[in-house]
Amino acid sequence: MEIPPKSPDGSEKSPQSKEMLTSNTTSTLCISSRSESVWTNASRSKWDIYHKPIIVVSVGAAVFLLGTVITSLSCFEIENKKIYKMCGPAFLSLGLMLLVCGFVWVPIIRKKQKQRQKSQFLQSLKSFFFNR
C-alpha cells in the first residue's frame, strides 16, 4: 500500500497540489527552453535567422580563395612547391565543403520557418475552438 507524501508541516498533500506541482514544472521547462522564440510570437529579423549560414558561407569562400591562391603558387618556380601542391587542394576542398554546407543550410531554415508558421497557425485555431 502506497503512503501519500507529507508536506514539511506533517499534513498530507492533496491530489490537486500534486497536479499543480506537475503543471508548474511543465511551465518552467517551457520558459527555460533554449528556443524561446518557439513559445513567443515575436518576429525575428532576417539577420537573426540567417546569420549562421552567412558566416559559414563567408568563411568557406575565404578558405576557397586561399586554396586557389596556394594552388596557383605551386605553378610558379618556388622552392617549397611540394607544400603548395599538398596544402592548396586541401584548402580548396575545405572551402568548397563549407560553401556547400552554408548554401544547403538556407533552404532548410526556410522550410523550418514555414513549418513554424503553420504550427503557430494551427495552435491558434486549436485554442480558438477548444477554449470556448
Side-chain angles (χ1 to χ4, degrees), residues 30-88:
C30 292
I31 291 170
S32 66
S33 69
R34 292 193 323 178
S35 58
E36 290 183 18
S37 63
V38 173
W39 305 108
T40 62
N41 290 332
S43 62
R44 295 166 45 189
S45 70
K46 295 285 186 185
W47 174 252
D48 289 339
I49 296 170
Y50 294 111
H51 74 279
K52 289 179 184 177
I54 289 172
I55 292 171
V56 170
V57 168
S58 302
V59 170
V63 172
F64 185 79
L65 288 175
L66 179 67
T68 305
V69 169
I70 291 175
T71 304
S72 64
L73 283 177
S74 69
C75 297
F76 300 114
E77 293 296 325
I78 298 178
E79 57 194 54
N80 296 331
K81 207 173 200 179
K82 283 187 174 182
I83 294 173
Y84 291 130
K85 281 189 175 183
M86 252 183 355
C87 294

Side-chain angles (χ1 to χ4, degrees), residues 102-120:
F103 284 134
V104 168
W105 200 350
V106 172
I108 292 172
I109 290 175
R110 285 187 184 151
K111 187 176 180 182
K112 277 183 158 182
Q113 290 294 102
K114 286 181 183 177
Q115 286 177 347
R116 185 173 292 150
Q117 288 173 352
K118 286 180 186 176
S119 174
Q120 288 174 351

